[in-house]
Amino acid sequence: MIEVRLFATLRKDRGKVMQLPASEFSDGVSILEHFAIPREEVAIFLINGFHSKPEDPVKDGDILAIFPPVGGG
Amino acid sequence: MTNLLHSSGCGGDGSKDLLRYSRNFSTITEEEFETLQNARVFVAGCGGLGGNLIMHLLRIGIGHVTAIDGDSFEPTNLNRQLLCTVDTLSHPKAETAEEYAAKVNPDVDFTAIRTLLDETNADVLIAGHDLVLDALDNIGSRRILAAACDRAGIPLIYGGICGWSAQVSVLPPGTAAARINQIYIPGTAISNKSCLSFTPAFCASIQTAEAVKLLLGKPSELNGNLLFADLLESEWELIPFFND
């Protein structure tokens, strides 16, 4: 399984922590598509705590943390 | 060293000037206060974050503050920007900041510059400062500011807000541009400009605390980590920068 943790506004209508079958997802992009998260709404994309990008591969046991942009001032 | 609160040179008006800082002491030492009085801090932006940052820097007694902003106040700023009132609508933000500084603490050497930060002026604007505080409102300008801080060897205290959320991190020289690129990976865009008044106040408070700690040489968990605070969920995530 792949654990996906969403933060702040990304949780709306999606949830906080979800488990996905690893066999159905090859990279972060496919997971974003699963949750219908637009690419521009992803600012921080962590795989097992490491700063990554959605194009990076994912595998069974990975934990993803996805944060939206917090860029106002 | 001189006892700032009780020295013979503090009679009359001088006593009044130092009394304004009396509640700072014991939390910080007189020696630390002198360090803050000699500090030169740059604030990039006089909006939601910037107004609160300026307020804190003035009241703490940072000796020299430069603040920039090229915009003027508009009605949409009233919900969260400290320096925006019905009286300052349509006034330049930088000019308003200068007027505010004179009212809050005229002892601070406060300089306001009415300009927007860009690639042509960033190096000149931040030169000579000990510390830069990010109060910008867009990703592009943040990348420019971070790169300029790296070139100048000046630490940057990053802050960003949106809705109920705030982010803060202390970015040492040489790491700022790379870490901003991790906070906003390529392709990220800001579409949500909604923000409640307590979010910039919260974020600016943490940024100022980090500024004081940095100026006084105190360690910080936010040096090397990004704080992601969600005020709606009362969640505080510390995200490390493992792979600069």
Side-chain angles (χ1 to χ4, degrees), chain B residues 67-214:
Chain B
I68 69 158
D69 205 305
D71 291 334
S72 296
F73 286 114
E74 53 188 66
T76 56
N77 302 147
L78 280 166
N79 83 317
R80 71 198 183 284
Q81 299 197 10
L82 183 70
L83 302 179
C84 184
T85 68
V86 290
D87 293 330
T88 62
L89 284 176
S90 81
H91 290 212
K93 294 183 179 181
E95 182 183 299
T96 302
E98 198 159 61
E99 292 167 358
Y100 178 80
K103 289 177 184 172
V104 173
N105 191 347
D107 293 340
V108 172
D109 170 28
F110 189 91
T111 303
I113 303 172
R114 188 180 177 186
T115 188
L116 293 172
L117 185 108
D118 61 33
E119 284 175 334
T120 68
N121 63 15
D123 291 336
V124 173
L125 286 169
I126 69 169
H129 293 86
D130 301 309
L131 181 60
V132 171
L133 289 166
D134 172 6
L136 297 166
D137 65 355
N138 67 88
I139 298 171
S141 295
R142 284 198 168 90
R143 295 194 204 281
I144 292 170
L145 182 64
C149 286
D150 283 346
R151 284 192 296 272
I154 302 173
L156 171 65
I157 299 184
Y158 158 76
I161 52 174
C162 180
W164 297 80
S165 299
Q167 294 181 153
V168 181
S169 189
V170 178
L171 309 179
T175 72
R179 290 183 179 178
I180 288 293
N181 285 338
Q182 293 182 11
I183 295 169
Y184 304 108
I185 59 175
T188 303
I190 300 172
S191 56
N192 182 3
K193 292 190 174 182
S194 170
C195 195
L196 301 172
S197 66
F198 47 74
T199 308
F202 169 87
C203 187
S205 294
I206 297 177
Q207 283 181 277
T208 313
E210 293 303 314
V212 170
K213 286 155 66 178
L214 193 65

Side-chain angles (χ1 to χ4, degrees), chain A residues 7-9 11 16 39-40 42-46 49-52 54 67-73, chain B residues 48-49 136-137 142 158 160-161 182-190 226 228 233 235 240 242-243:
Chain A
F7 290 85
T9 51
R11 290 174 173 170
K16 285 187 183 181
R39 178 65 181 76
E40 62 272 17
V42 177
I44 298 172
F45 191 89
L46 305 178
F50 286 88
H51 291 266
S52 308
F67 297 79
V70 177
Chain B
L49 289 175
L136 297 166
D137 65 355
R142 284 198 168 90
Y158 158 76
I161 52 174
Q182 293 182 11
I183 295 169
Y184 304 108
I185 59 175
T188 303
I190 300 172
L226 171 72
F228 188 103
E233 304 276 358
E235 286 183 350
F242 286 127
N243 44 348

